[in-house]
Amino acid sequence: KHYMAGAKPGDFPDFVTGKGGIPHPVPFNYFDPFQLSKNASEEKKAKGLLAEINNGRLAQIGILGFLSEQKLPGSVPLLSGVVQSYDGEPMAPFSHNIFSL
């Protein structure tokens, strides 16, 4: 069931449970394959979700810092001299419509 139809966002179906299960060669699920958070409280799960979201945000800020330093040398003082400058178009993969070929 899709999350827009009322399901929980980020909830993946198990391979072995549900309507007959899904045949799969690996006995692990996508989320928590080793059942480490099986007995965790809802508070601990919510804290882990918030930490995961914040880690993703920090990674996005980091990659933008590297892109900024490559395009404008000296724009990120901590990366000066660490990252080589780039003369090309950093958004080139997104500037051409692949469907118009």
Side-chain angles (χ1 to χ4, degrees):
K1 189 174 181 182
H2 195 267
Y3 74 93
M4 293 294 286
K8 184 178 177 184
D11 189 26
F12 292 102
D14 293 339
F15 288 127
V16 293
T17 60
K19 296 180 181 177
I22 301 171
H24 193 267
V26 180
F28 302 120
N29 291 318
Y30 286 132
F31 176 75
D32 197 18
F34 301 110
Q35 303 294 319
L36 298 175
S37 67
K38 182 177 176 182
N39 297 325
S41 66
E42 289 299 319
E43 181 178 300
K44 184 175 179 182
K45 289 179 186 179
K47 184 178 178 183
L49 176 63
L50 182 62
E52 186 68 25
I53 290 171
N54 286 337
N55 286 340
R57 290 174 178 162
L58 187 60
Q60 291 175 11
I61 291 170
I63 196 71
L64 285 175
F66 276 93
L67 286 172
S68 299
E69 181 62 30
Q70 282 184 326
K71 198 63 181 164
L72 298 168
S75 63
V76 182
L78 292 174
L79 296 176
S80 292
V82 177
V83 181
Q84 295 178 347
S85 64
Y86 178 66
D87 294 330
E89 173 60 44
M91 299 305 284
F94 308 106
S95 64
H96 184 72
N97 186 357
I98 61 170
F99 298 112
S100 67
L101 293 176

